[in-house]
Amino acid sequence: MQRRFRQFFQHNILALAQRNSFARNFAVTLSGTTLVAAIGFVLTPFMSRIYPPASYGQFAIFSALVSNLNTLTTLGYPGAMLLPRSRQHFLALVHISLILTIGSVIAIGIALKVAAPALSAFLNIEGLGRWMYAVPLMLLLFNLNAIMFTWYTRDKAFAKRAGVDVSTALTSKIFTIGYGLLSGGAVGGLLFGEFFNRTVTMLALFFGGIKKNVRELWTSFNWQEIKQMALEYKNFPLYVLPANYLNTISSQLPIFALTTGFGTTAVGLYSFSVSLMEIPINLIGNAIGPVFAQKAVEVHYNEPARLPVITLDLYNKLIYLGVIPFGFITIFGDWIFKFAFGARWEGAGLFTAFLGYYYILKLTSLSTSGIYAVLNKQRYLLISNTSTLLARGLGLGIGLYFKDVKIAMLLFGAGSFLSAFGTDLHILYLLRLPIARIALRTILILSVMLAIFYSLRLALVRVGFDSYL
């Protein structure tokens, strides 16, 4: 017992004091994302009583447009920025990403001069008004922040990044609430809040660390080097770009399907439920993801035999970490949303229940899917995301055919769960781990927790607890 305690202390507690250790970097990022999550949980009930589901729906469609363009315009090259050992090669990838971003923003701005009214009418978002013309500016901020966040991760500047996340989350939420009170809950408040958040984040990242590298970035510009890196990392536009775009499209299918089949209110209920589910994902996954990505690259280069060990260890820990909160939301989602946010958001809680168990596996996939890039197996990411898109599209298509939004979201959640589970198991298979045993163990854990929570709900219904909500 004493030896185990000593080993635990040495491997975990003492590691916190080691500069740039995995434990220390994880602790720093986790503390930052915990504060961000707390801000979201505390302030979201205020926002839900200011902005109606229709406003959230229009905002979700606008955000989906920007997200789609973000994925396409950089051709996936930012995903390669953690891989080069050479500083010069890393800077060349930054140059590629910046060139693609600036060129795309100019082209999209010109296109919207002509196409904005027709696009607004097609997506049923005429209520956005002139905000449609802000898409290029929002895209520019989105891409610049993504590039700088990756730069911070490469330089292991996790403390600075955590500070930026916390400060921008708090100020943007307060700004959004204040604007919403003045505007009566109009969608412009959500859009203005997002713009404010992206702008403050960009300035904080730039002046917090990137500014001192501007001269280096400028003097290192070399067309020959840029061409060489574009070819060396061609797997990213060939495989990672299509894979990421398919993942973006598949995650946004409900937004476009619901707006055409059931209206913007249904989109608002879905987007609101997902935004809350993303809070713990951002808390846990985004705390671990950047640190693990950097660690996985380092281990693969220096101690490749350890990569399967640390990946499986992370997978197991995330399953245990996610099964209780997401299992609880799966069974009690409608009750929670009705009580916390008001009766008009009960439908969002039902959508959350359909997606709860998928988010357990999204948590593990978010933190381990970078293994594909580490092993230079990006083509499998494309195959995985294609399968996810087909599974989700089939589920939503069945729901639209029967004109039943509940069937659509239930099947969407089931398809998402199966696809995420398959991705996790395939990553572990590539690392030569015993996936049959891992799969059975995972299913057993999830099934037991689901049975416990469902039994608790039946007991509460039997005593009439639901009548008090």
Side-chain angles (χ1 to χ4, degrees), residues 44-61 127-128 176-177 179-191 263-273 275 341-346 348:
T44 295
F46 295 97
M47 295 177 62
S48 68
R49 286 165 171 81
I50 296 172
Y51 295 98
S55 292
Y56 270 97
Q58 294 178 65
F59 174 69
I61 296 170
L128 292 180
T176 304
I177 290 173
Y179 193 97
L181 290 172
L182 295 174
S183 64
V187 66
L190 294 170
L191 292 166
T264 55
T265 296
V267 177
L269 294 173
Y270 166 77
S271 63
F272 184 76
S273 68
S275 69
F341 308 116
R344 67 180 179 180
W345 294 104
E346 185 176 2

Side-chain angles (χ1 to χ4, degrees), residues 302-313:
N302 301 319
E303 303 174 86
R306 286 190 57 225
L307 188 58
V309 177
I310 65 172
T311 303
L312 180 60
D313 182 58

